[in-house]
Amino acid sequence: MSLPARLDEVERLTGWLRTITASVLQEEDFILLEIGVVELVNNIIEHAFENLSGSIEVGCVLDGKRVTLHFSDAGLAMPDGIQERYDNATDDVALDATSGRGLGIIKRCFEQVQFYRADGLNRISATYVPG
């Protein structure tokens, strides 16, 4: 799926994912996946596309109940050390914090996330396995 890098497009993405995963995920399992996807895509839009236009490509692979999502974009390059920041993220952030909560939320929602840049594109692979 390709979607414009705009916040008003995130709902279309989650609707697409709901349709694709309906045969393998129950509603309560989908909710955690949806939270993770919304946070991840909102971060892509906010950081990679600040005031730029562009698109985000999203792929989905189902393996039993395991859902692996692949995101790519040609926005601003991810900062150096983003994988390490993600790996060290916790959910010990004040509830009223205006930044710094996103990676912790994403980490709680996905079993594994990989951030990397290849072929001039930001790439993220995120694997969700229901509890």
Side-chain angles (χ1 to χ4, degrees):
M1 169 182 214
S2 180
L3 71 144
R6 297 191 328 252
L7 293 176
D8 64 345
E9 290 288 329
V10 177
E11 186 175 356
R12 187 166 65 92
L13 171 61
T14 59
W16 176 74
L17 286 173
R18 183 179 301 277
T19 300
I20 290 174
T21 62
S23 64
V24 296
L25 295 181
Q26 296 179 2
E27 180 63 23
E28 59 270 12
D29 292 326
F30 181 79
I31 291 170
L32 188 60
L33 173 63
E34 182 177 40
I35 290 168
V37 166
V38 167
E39 186 63 35
L40 194 59
V41 173
N42 285 352
N43 281 345
I44 292 169
I45 293 167
E46 179 182 342
H47 298 292
F49 291 99
E50 293 175 342
N51 294 315
L52 307 171
S53 62
S55 63
I56 302 167
E57 302 299 318
V58 183
C60 180
V61 177
L62 301 177
D63 181 11
K65 290 190 173 199
R66 177 182 300 265
V67 178
T68 301
L69 301 170
H70 301 281
F71 302 88
S72 65
D73 69 76
L76 301 172
M78 287 185 276
D80 291 337
I82 187 67
Q83 185 68 50
E84 184 177 353
R85 284 181 39 216
Y86 171 79
D87 291 342
N88 294 320
T90 67
D91 56 6
D92 294 342
V93 177
L95 293 176
D96 60 349
T98 57
S99 68
R101 296 185 320 204
L103 291 177
I105 291 169
I106 294 166
K107 194 167 188 174
R108 279 187 281 170
C109 294
F110 292 103
E111 180 178 277
Q112 180 180 5
V113 178
Q114 295 255 231
F115 297 87
Y116 57 103
R117 188 154 173 95
D119 303 321
L121 299 173
N122 296 313
R123 298 181 184 270
I124 302 170
S125 293
T127 300
Y128 173 77
V129 180

